[in-house]
Every structure is written in structure tokens, then in C-alpha cells.
Amino acid sequence: MKVIYLLKYGELMLKHKNKRFFEDLVIKNCNSVLREHKVKKLKLFGRFLLEAEVEDDVEKDAIAHKLSTRVFGISSVSPGTVAGLDYKNISEECIRQAGIITRTENIKTFKIDVKRPFKNVEMNSLEFASELGGDVLDAFPELKVKLVGPDMTIYVEILQEFSIVYSKKYNCLRGLPVGSSGKAGLLLSGGIDSPVAGYLAQKRGCYLNCIYFHSPPHTSQKAKDKVFELARKLLNYQTHIRIFTVDFTETQLMFKKHTDPQYFVVLGRRMMMRIVNEIARKYEFKALVTGENLGQVSSQTLENLHAINSIAELPVIRPLICFDKEETIEIARRIGTFDISTLPYDDCCTLFLPPNPNTRSKIINLEKEEAKLDYMQIVHRAVESMQITDL
Ligand code: ATP
Ligand code: MG
């Protein structure tokens, strides 16, 4: 059967000049999440219509579910039926949909909501709605009209060449379409925070590449698999994902051997930033994304964040900076990363962790430690030997 999905975009409406660019990205991203379905694209004034040939109601709902949970840049999706511009057609379709709903749900009250963006029919929206409401009452005399908070609303949108009738509206993720802000490098660890940070950056239009630091043989293959599983979850929202896996063992062993242990974590983070700077230049990232949070661990005091940030050559987006852990966990559960993140495999940063890390590292002291080593050579070697995986 043929179903029409009416998509509405929220914030995109504001982007007058670049609207076309944003719309094209939404369409591309919709097509990507619906690649297993037969979908044809139509496009209209202030709304998108997607036409799909579906097997049954299960597939009809599956498409609505995918659009509402995996595409940024749209505010709602409604599966509906096409009716002509003829009043009789529209009325019959309202009665048919009211019949389906009243058979399956306990409905006592209803209203009809009419929109006619092109003003191409004679009656105004309220008159149109009350006529249609009268027809539905004739067909189902046990129902009552209730304009505020009814059990059932039937929506009618009268467009230029046809109208659409629908009764379900799924809220979507909103935000901006992935890709509209450009490419960003997500520092992805196996923890709870960085995948959530990546998801939130995608919500603001970032197309992500991931950078993962591991320390074989001190970190296991399972730890790496876990990070790849997390990246796969982020793949729900963009067409492809590239992962750069960087060997951090040499860096950690050198710093462990030659530098003051109280600075170990912050020195390590500064090295990560140096390596990421190189990758970012080569692969043209416009920003970096981390799961850093103010005050959560010793490396995340304002002083230490400053010491790490001062190495970065690009803006660092930290979507979780002011979140409580519970707020992050709630999103992690919703996007399906929590259960993966909490698998008990070691991260390179927890290796060699000193007992008393400095929480207020001064840049001058960090530079003194770094001066003991030829760290740029280590940076180049790490970049040369990194692995690139495309999911
Ligand atoms: P997460 O839960 O994301 O690991 P966290 O609260 O444990 O974060 P840290 O371990 O201090 O905090 O890491 C802060 C940020 O640094 C991470 O969110 C991530 O963006 C980056 N990071 C840490 N370890 C790695 C790693 N091994 N590979 C890539 N990025 C990392
Ligand atoms: Mg961590």
C-alpha cells in the first residue's frame, strides 16, 4: 500500500538563505536511514513529503520510527493518506481514519484540525474543520467534539494539488541535519561520555570521524571492539563513519619513564591533542569533540582543561561540559550506548594512573616535563602508524 509521510522541520525554517542546502541534507539523510524501503521523495512548501510503498502496517510504523529516531533536522513525522482537493474525498478519508482508530482505541472525544497553507479552497480552516467534524459525528454519533485535549485528532493539510489526512504525529529529534556544520573529529574512548558527546554534536550538524587511542598489549582487542561498537551506534545518524585508531603505547611508556607522575594524565591528554591536530589538518576537520565535563575527574578542572585546550588548534566542542552524570546516562541509555560503555574493558588512560594526579597543573610545569622528551617525533610516528577503518 501507498503511504505518504509528512515531515516538518523546526529550526530549518529559520535558515532562509541556505534552506535549500539544509533540505538537501535532510533528504540525503532520510534516504540513508530508509535504504531498505521503497521510498520516493516529493518536496513541498515548508514540508517534505515522502511517498513509500509498504507491505503492511508494521513497515509503515517502522519507517515512521526510523525517521523520528535517526534523522536530525525534522520536528515531526506523520504517516498519512492522500486525498484529492474535493471536499467529499477529504470527508470520506476522515471518516475512514476515525473508524480505524475508534475500533482499536477507547475514543470518546475528537477534533479535526485543518491547515490550508495555499488558501486554495473557499472555506476557511475553521469552517472546513467544523463541516468535517459534522460528517464524522454523523458517522459516529457516540463521539463528542472537544477542541482542547481530545482523545483523537484528525489532521487535514490542504496542499496545492492534493490534501493529506493523518492522525498520528511522531515527535522527531529536531536539531540540524548531519553534515550541515561540516566534519568534526570525535575523541572516542570506551567510556559513557564521549559517545553521548558525539551524538549531541551530530545533532548540531557535525559529520563525525572518530579518533581512538589504545595501548596494546596493555589494552585488549575487546576494548577496541567495544569502541567500534560505540561508533556503530553513532552510525545510526550518519551515512558512514571513519575511525582512526592510534597506538598510544609508546607515548605512555615514554612519559611514564621520564616525567613526573603527578602530571601523567594531563601530559597524555596534551599528546592526544597534538596527534589529533595532525590528523585534523590532514583530513580537514573543522572542530574537535570530546566528552569532557567540568569537575568530573582530576583532568577536568578548569586549570587542567585549560592546559589541554591550549594545545588544540581547532575549536573544541564539549557538549557535556555542564551536564550532571545522570543527564548523560539518560541520553546514553536512549541511544543504546550505555550497556556497551559499561562493559568492563580497560581504557589506555586508566593504565599507569598515578595515585595523586595534579588537579591544577600549570602550563609552565607541563612544558618543563615535555622538554625532557622529543615528543614531536612520537607524534609523527603515532600518526604514521595509525589504522583507518571505514564503517
Ligand atoms: P569518557 O566517558 O568519554 O571516557 P570520562 O568522563 O571518562 O569520558 P576522561 O577519561 O577524562 O573522561 O576523558 C575525557 C575525554 O577525553 C573523553 O570524553 C574523550 O573525548 C577523550 N578521551 C579519553 N580517553 C580517550 C581515548 N582512549 N581515546 C580517545 N579519546 C579519549
Ligand atoms: Mg574515560
Side-chain angles (χ1 to χ4, degrees), residues 187-189 191-194 211-213 269 272 290-292 296-297 299-300 347-349:
L187 280 83
L188 181 63
S189 72
I192 295 170
D193 298 336
S194 42
I211 304 107
Y212 165 56
F213 292 87
R269 287 296 144 83
M272 281 188 187
T290 74
E292 285 163 322
Q296 196 180 82
V297 290
S299 58
Q300 296 175 2
D347 181 36
C348 67
C349 306

Side-chain angles (χ1 to χ4, degrees), residues 212-311:
Y212 165 56
F213 292 87
H214 69 160
S215 297
H218 309 285
T219 56
S220 63
Q221 177 64 33
K222 282 198 164 148
K224 183 177 167 193
D225 294 345
K226 167 179 164 180
V227 171
F228 277 50
E229 273 311 297
L230 291 171
R232 235 172 238 118
K233 289 285 173 192
L234 298 175
L235 196 52
N236 273 329
Y237 314 96
Q238 64 182 55
T239 48
H240 302 92
I241 215 159
R242 173 165 282 190
I243 307 173
F244 300 90
T245 306
V246 183
D247 194 327
F248 208 47
T249 317
E250 187 190 2
T251 310
Q252 291 200 301
L253 292 177
M254 291 279 267
F255 278 73
K256 170 91 179 142
K257 195 163 168 199
H258 298 290
T259 61
D260 186 339
Q262 64 171 315
Y263 297 119
F264 183 76
V265 177
V266 180
L267 288 170
R269 287 296 144 83
R270 282 161 65 92
M271 282 300 283
M272 281 188 187
M273 278 299 170
R274 291 190 179 99
I275 294 168
V276 171
N277 283 340
E278 301 263 313
I279 303 173
R281 255 183 264 132
K282 188 160 171 197
Y283 292 91
E284 300 180 335
F285 300 167
K286 290 190 191 161
L288 307 177
V289 182
T290 74
E292 285 163 322
N293 173 276
L294 186 55
Q296 196 180 82
V297 290
S298 68
S299 58
Q300 296 175 2
T301 60
L302 283 179
E303 290 83 349
N304 285 348
L305 283 172
H306 173 56
I308 299 163
N309 190 60
S310 65
I311 302 295

Side-chain angles (χ1 to χ4, degrees), residues 95-110:
I95 292 168
R96 193 185 71 84
Q97 294 201 14
I100 295 173
I101 301 172
T102 48
R103 246 179 280 131
T104 51
E105 293 170 41
N106 181 21
I107 302 286
K108 294 198 174 67
T109 57
F110 79 102

